[in-house]
Each structure stands twice: as C-alpha cells, then as structure tokens.
Amino acid sequence: MKKIIAFLVCSLLFLGVYSQTSGQVATYTTGVQALTDGLVLNAMGSISDKLDKLDYTDNSIEGSPYMSNSFAPGQLYYGDEAVGNIYYRHNAYNEEIEIKQTNSEVASILGLSKDKNIRLVVDGKSMSFKTIVDNNGNTKNAYLTLLVDGNYKLYKHLEVTFKEAKRAENSFVKDSPAKFTQFTEYFLEKPDAKRIDQIDLNNKKLVECIGSNELKTFLKENKIKVKNENDLTKVIHFLNGQ
C-alpha cells in the first residue's frame, strides 16, 4: 500500500487555480508546480497545448468540455487496490481527469496522471485510460467508462469537439458562436483481443463486428433493433452468457 500511495502522490500535478466559474473551464496560472519534471510532461502536455489555442474564459462559448461542470465523489484505485476517496470532473475535450481531496471551492485542483493502472470508480462503474481505435482506424488514448464486464467488455466514451466562432457572410444570417459539442461513443473489447474498437448502434454492423450467427439469431428472435445503450447492453450480456 505504501508503494501505491507514493506512486499516486508522484502521479498528481498541482495546478494553481486563479479563476473558476460554473459552466466554464478552470483557468490555470502559469506558475505550475510539479513533483517531478516527468510528471509535467505527462500530465500537463495536452492541457497546456489546448489552453494556448482556446480562450476558455470567453463567456460566449456555448456548451462545455466537461461531462459535468461540478465535481462529483469517486473512489481512486491503483489496479485492484483502493487508494482513497476523491472528488472529480472529466474534461472530455482535453481527456483530463481533474480531482480534489475535498469539494470545497478553494480546494486545490489536481490533474490525474494518465496511467492505465489507475481507475476511478463512480457509482459502481470504473473509468480508466485506454488505447482505442475509432471507426476511421485512428488509434488514440481516451478515458472510457466500463459498462459491461466479461469476456466481451463494453465501454462508453464521451467525445467533445470544438467549433470556432464564425462571422455571418451577410446580414441575412446570424453569426455562429464558438461551441463545444458532445457525442456519446461505444467501444468493444473482444475476448483475447489486443485492441478496443468503436462499435455502432446498428444490427448489421454489430453482427459483422462480432462475426456471430448466434447473435444474428438472438436479435431476430427477440426483435431487437439496437438503437440505444440499453439495447447494446443486452447484446453484450448475451455474448457473455449472462
């Protein structure tokens, strides 16, 4: 346990917050303090890159990069061993987990290291950093929430895109404000698979992805048309024999 706690302490980056408003992204000071130089490179890279490109303090930006703007309670694990209780929020645009030891407004915000052994458990569901392959064949890293465990593992991912403001070309149309847009995606890890692939809410594509005639029969006999998360969960439970 002592080694795990020591590792996690070295995996947290102190971020000095000088301004934080509900519905907006926290703005960080340039005086970032870290326990190790390697941690700065690991935990701060994507945040600083995108802060250079976006002015998160602009009140005209619609939407949010966060799954929820508020901090929520969760439990931190390293592998299977519990480390402690924290408060968190997920910046899905930056793929960062921000955590605090207490839910006080003045509590320091920490950036969780993107270590694949670290898990955040919220309402019984585990969130962790994974390598995934999207529908376009692109490989990237992202935080996934485990929905169904078993031989077939089903994950949910919140994808957030940002669109810059655009001035109207003429007086007949309105200006387009800068905007964050959120999308829910699903990913599947097959038995003994070495990758986690994106899957679609579509019967035909699911059957092709799984390569199972039994699944095709199951969908037909139960008159299931996969259109939402509940339908998809039923499919994965069937594949796991649950």
Side-chain angles (χ1 to χ4, degrees):
M1 172 62 81
K2 290 183 178 179
K3 290 183 179 179
I4 292 175
I5 292 176
F7 175 83
L8 288 174
V9 168
C10 291
S11 295
L12 296 175
L13 176 66
F14 179 80
L15 302 176
V17 179
Y18 69 80
S19 174
Q20 182 178 340
T21 306
S22 178
Q24 295 181 346
V25 178
T27 306
Y28 304 100
T29 63
T30 55
V32 177
Q33 297 178 352
L35 295 176
T36 66
D37 291 338
L39 179 58
V40 175
L41 296 175
N42 178 45
M44 194 59 187
S46 61
I47 292 179
S48 60
D49 288 346
K50 291 186 178 179
L51 283 176
D52 287 341
K53 299 175 183 178
L54 296 176
D55 180 8
Y56 284 169
T57 62
D58 188 345
N59 292 326
S60 67
I61 298 178
E62 294 185 357
S64 172
Y66 290 103
M67 181 183 296
S68 172
N69 292 323
S70 301
F71 282 84
Q75 295 80 44
L76 203 60
Y77 284 76
Y78 188 78
D80 293 327
E81 190 160 1
V83 175
N85 298 324
I86 49 86
Y87 290 86
Y88 86 101
R89 65 179 180 181
H90 177 203
N91 184 327
Y93 179 69
N94 279 356
E95 289 295 358
E96 298 284 346
I97 298 291
E98 300 173 8
I99 67 174
K100 299 194 294 186
Q101 291 182 325
T102 70
N103 205 19
S104 167
E105 292 185 0
V106 297
S108 299
I109 295 178
L110 304 168
L112 190 62
S113 175
K114 294 176 178 178
D115 185 314
K116 293 180 180 180
N117 291 307
I118 296 175
R119 294 187 298 121
L120 180 64
V121 177
V122 181
D123 296 329
K125 290 185 171 61
S126 179
M127 179 185 292
S128 56
F129 200 60
K130 302 284 187 181
T131 299
I132 59 178
V133 181
D134 66 20
N135 282 337
N136 295 319
N138 299 316
T139 301
K140 59 184 180 180
N141 293 318
Y143 278 101
L144 302 183
T145 298
L146 180 63
L147 298 179
V148 179
D149 200 0
N151 290 328
Y152 290 86
K153 293 179 172 61
L154 176 64
Y155 300 93
K156 177 161 63 173
H157 174 247
L158 181 63
E159 175 73 13
V160 176
T161 60
F162 177 76
K163 185 177 181 180
E164 294 184 355
K166 184 178 180 181
R167 286 188 173 277
E169 296 180 357
N170 55 61
S171 59
F172 296 101
V173 294
K174 296 181 179 180
D175 294 341
S176 297
K179 184 179 181 179
F180 287 106
T181 303
Q182 299 188 356
F183 306 91
T184 300
E185 300 174 336
Y186 297 95
F187 289 82
L188 180 67
E189 185 176 359
K190 299 178 185 178
D192 302 322
K194 296 182 179 180
R195 51 190 258 175
I196 302 174
D197 292 286
Q198 185 175 358
I199 54 175
D200 296 303
L201 298 174
N202 178 281
N203 283 28
K204 182 179 179 180
K205 291 183 178 180
L206 271 175
V207 172
E208 290 176 350
C209 175
I210 302 299
S212 169
N213 290 328
E214 288 81 4
L215 174 58
K216 185 176 181 180
T217 301
F218 170 78
L219 293 171
K220 184 177 181 180
E221 290 181 347
N222 291 275
K223 299 179 180 180
I224 297 176
K225 291 186 177 180
V226 181
K227 295 182 178 180
N228 54 48
E229 184 176 306
N230 185 53
D231 296 333
L232 188 55
T233 300
K234 290 179 181 178
V235 169
I236 306 305
H237 280 311
F238 166 75
L239 293 173
N240 286 328
Q242 299 172 341

